[in-house]
């Protein structure tokens, strides 16, 4: 896989070509100060005016519990002010409204699929820029796009191609995971199709194997084949309840892309799969296979941390702060004792 192939799979490159067959989306250039903010580990929540999550640590006397915390004690008083991006915020809000108020966010290549656990709704559905920032800042996949998009490329010695970062907002669509498939194209030939959510067994796939395979092949030959900039690529589709096929995403043909129920070795080794039969190889999880854990599970953290990070459980946060403070005091005392201890 070459760097050029990765560049060609950016959303803004493939979307204009296949606009008619995919979910309506808007692309906004990502300003450098927003990129810097996304890469900065120090600040998590933006105090943007687009959301009612604005929280200040001032003397709010309605809560008993809060009085227990002495904000005015020491350096904790210095309020951390998150940066604001008024112009960008209003552009994002305008785009969200134009897409019906609920969006699915991405960067040039990736969505924050590994971060849905942190969102209050445990989903990638966003209504505001704060929602998007929370997901993006918690996602390793987004960091990958921002820091090493050409990681697995074979032409490492060549200079990185020039490209601009973009925020992609897609109209929110309720996709049923059993309707999603990943299709592998080599030399403009559809060689393999895999069930996307391979962790589950879907009875309808087993029952409609032939129809699904045929519908995807037709979709490929009518709308995708020979229309893309590369002859090797991976495309994701969704087959809706009426049997219509939609394009969901385009990905580079190589290690960066999850090969799901195939292995990259078999996909790249001289088209062996394709020679075995007439059409593409079609793989799905059948009832005999044990259902597997979700691949993003390892990105999750304990529920307590989620509550803390989202402020969902305010008392837990207070407990946590008390605990850290008492631990800090203890260790300070210990240090003092050590200092005063006879030599
Ligand atoms: N517009 C949308 N509305 C709701 N859910 C969506 C939308 N677009 C995609 N999804 C869901 O999110 C999943 C991931 O989307 P997408 O393929 O764009 O992300 P990705 O980061 O490119 O993933 P990968 O790394 O596997 O290529 C899809 O499989 C689908 O279930
Ligand atoms: Mg993708």
């Amino acid at each position: 896989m070459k760097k050029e192939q990765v560049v060609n799979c950016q959303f803004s490159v493939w979307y204009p070509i296949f606009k008619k067959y995919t979910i309506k989306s808007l692309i906004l250039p990502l300003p450098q100060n927003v990129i810097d903010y996304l890469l900065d580990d120090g600040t998590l929540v933006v105090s943007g005016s687009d959301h009612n999550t604005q929280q200040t640590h001032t003397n709010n006397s309605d809560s008993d519990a809060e009085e227990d915390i002495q904000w005015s004690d020491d350096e904790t008083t210095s309020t951390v002010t998150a940066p604001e991006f008024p112009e960008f915020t209003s552009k994002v809000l305008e785009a969200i409204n134009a897409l019906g108020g609920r969006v699915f966010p991405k960067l040039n290549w990736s969505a924050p699929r590994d971060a849905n656990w942190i969102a209050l709704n445990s989903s990638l559905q966003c209504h505001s820029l704060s929602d998007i920032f929370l997901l993006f800042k918690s996602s390793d996949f987004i960091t990958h796009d921002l820091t090493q998009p050409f990681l697995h490329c074979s032409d490492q010695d060549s200079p990185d191609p020039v490209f601009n970062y973009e925020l992609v907002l897609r109209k929110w669509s309720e996709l049923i995971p059993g309707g999603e498939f990943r299709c592998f194209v080599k030399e403009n030939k559809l060689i393999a199709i895999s069930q996307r959510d391979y962790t589950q067994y879907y009875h309808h796939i087993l029952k409609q194997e032939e129809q699904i395979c045929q519908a995807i092949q037709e979709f490929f030959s009518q709308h995708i084949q020979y229309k893309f900039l590369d002859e090797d690529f991976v495309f994701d589709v969704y087959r809706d309840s009426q049997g219509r096929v939609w394009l969901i995403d385009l990905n580079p043909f190589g290690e960066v892309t999850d090969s799901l129920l195939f292995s990259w070795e078999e996909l790249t080794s001289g088209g062996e799969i394709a020679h075995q039969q007439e059409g593409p190889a079609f793989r799905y999880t059948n009832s005999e296979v044990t259902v597997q854990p979700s691949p993003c599970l390892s990105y999750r953290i304990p529920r307590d941390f989620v509550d803390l990070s989202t402020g969902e459980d305010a008392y837990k946060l207070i407990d946590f702060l008390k605990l850290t403070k008492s631990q800090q005091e203890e260790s300070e005392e210990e240090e003092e004792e050590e200092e005063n201890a006879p030599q």
Side-chain angles (χ1 to χ4, degrees):
M1 183 187 64
K2 298 262 167 34
K3 288 178 181 174
E4 196 59 31
Q5 285 173 275
V6 175
V7 168
N8 289 345
C9 285
Q10 288 182 93
F11 189 86
S12 56
V13 175
W14 70 257
Y15 183 69
I17 308 173
F18 301 113
K19 205 172 172 174
K20 264 167 67 186
Y21 315 108
T22 191
I23 301 165
K24 189 181 173 193
S25 309
L26 291 168
I27 305 166
L28 299 173
L30 207 57
Q32 187 56 47
N33 58 352
V34 176
I35 298 174
D36 295 341
Y37 170 66
L38 289 174
L39 287 169
D40 174 12
D41 283 341
T43 40
L44 185 64
V45 183
V46 71
S47 59
S49 49
D50 66 323
H51 212 250
N52 54 5
T53 52
Q54 212 162 353
Q55 283 170 359
T56 40
H57 297 147
T58 44
N59 304 330
N60 182 350
S61 52
D62 3 352
S63 160
D64 288 341
E66 219 168 38
E67 281 168 9
D68 289 341
I69 303 182
Q70 292 166 1
W71 293 108
S72 54
D73 215 357
D74 44 35
E75 67 263 35
T76 49
T77 29
S78 58
T79 325
V80 184
T81 43
E84 295 191 22
F85 315 98
E87 213 179 302
F88 183 64
T89 307
S90 65
K91 279 188 190 146
V92 170
L93 274 186
E94 208 177 294
I96 294 176
N97 283 338
L99 293 167
R102 302 180 304 158
V103 296
F104 173 88
K106 285 190 85 159
L107 282 189
N108 303 42
W109 298 276
S110 304
R113 284 186 302 116
D114 54 333
N116 65 341
W117 52 265
I118 206 169
L120 287 179
N121 53 1
S122 293
S123 143
L124 297 186
Q125 189 183 105
C126 294
H127 305 92
S128 68
L129 185 58
S130 321
D131 292 344
I132 298 169
F133 278 160
L134 180 65
L135 287 171
F136 278 15
K137 277 188 149 288
S138 316
S139 166
D140 287 352
F141 297 166
I142 291 295
T143 309
H144 164 93
D145 274 20
L146 290 174
T147 58
Q148 42 190 0
F150 305 110
L151 181 67
H152 293 285
C153 296
S154 53
D155 51 345
Q156 283 303 326
D157 295 338
S158 68
D160 280 358
V162 179
F163 67 93
N164 295 313
Y165 277 107
E166 59 209 20
L167 171 66
V168 175
L169 300 174
R170 315 203 68 186
K171 191 181 170 66
W172 182 263
S173 317
E174 292 297 340
L175 304 178
I176 302 158
E180 294 189 77
F181 300 90
R182 175 157 282 181
C183 313
F184 301 85
V185 178
K186 194 159 182 273
E187 292 160 15
N188 261 318
K189 198 166 168 228
L190 179 58
I191 59 165
I193 304 171
S194 169
Q195 173 183 335
R196 181 104 193 249
D197 176 21
Y198 62 87
T199 62
Q200 300 293 319
Y201 162 63
Y202 294 100
H203 187 61
H204 79 270
I205 300 181
L206 180 77
K207 256 178 42 194
Q208 301 176 15
E209 178 179 350
E210 259 174 50
Q211 290 103 302
I212 294 172
C213 205
Q214 204 179 342
I216 294 176
Q217 273 179 276
E218 261 176 45
F219 179 77
F220 172 69
S221 60
Q222 285 173 10
H223 308 305
I224 310 286
Q225 197 173 26
Y226 307 119
K227 297 204 170 62
F228 189 52
L229 304 170
D230 282 304
E231 54 172 23
D232 297 349
F233 56 95
V234 177
F235 68 100
D236 298 322
V237 293
Y238 181 67
R239 188 170 170 267
D240 68 21
S241 50
Q242 281 121 56
R244 274 194 70 177
V245 178
W246 300 87
L247 181 64
I248 299 296
D249 195 23
L250 249 123
N251 311 282
F253 189 90
E255 294 283 321
V256 266
T257 303
D258 192 341
S259 54
L260 306 178
L261 291 169
F262 293 90
S263 72
W264 273 113
E265 208 181 3
E266 50 182 344
L267 290 166
T268 47
S269 62
E272 236 170 68
I273 297 174
H275 287 137
Q276 285 163 11
Q277 55 193 45
E278 273 292 297
F282 183 42
R283 287 192 191 158
Y284 52 91
T285 302
N286 58 42
S287 55
E288 290 135 44
V289 179
T290 331
V291 171
Q292 298 168 41
S294 158
C296 279
L297 219 53
S298 58
Y299 291 100
R300 295 181 194 185
I301 56 166
R303 186 73 223 175
D304 281 353
F305 284 88
V306 181
D307 291 343
L308 286 178
S309 58
T310 58
E312 195 169 314
D313 186 339
Y315 291 108
K316 209 176 268 179
L317 178 62
I318 289 162
D319 288 343
F320 176 74
L321 289 172
K322 275 185 187 165
L323 190 71
T324 2
K325 196 154 178 14
S326 68
Q327 271 176 355
Q328 219 172 20
E329 279 168 1
E330 251 171 50
S331 63
E332 273 166 20
E333 270 169 29
E334 269 169 32
E335 266 171 38
E336 265 171 37
E337 272 168 28
E338 269 170 35
E339 272 169 27
N340 299 336
Q343 303 284 310

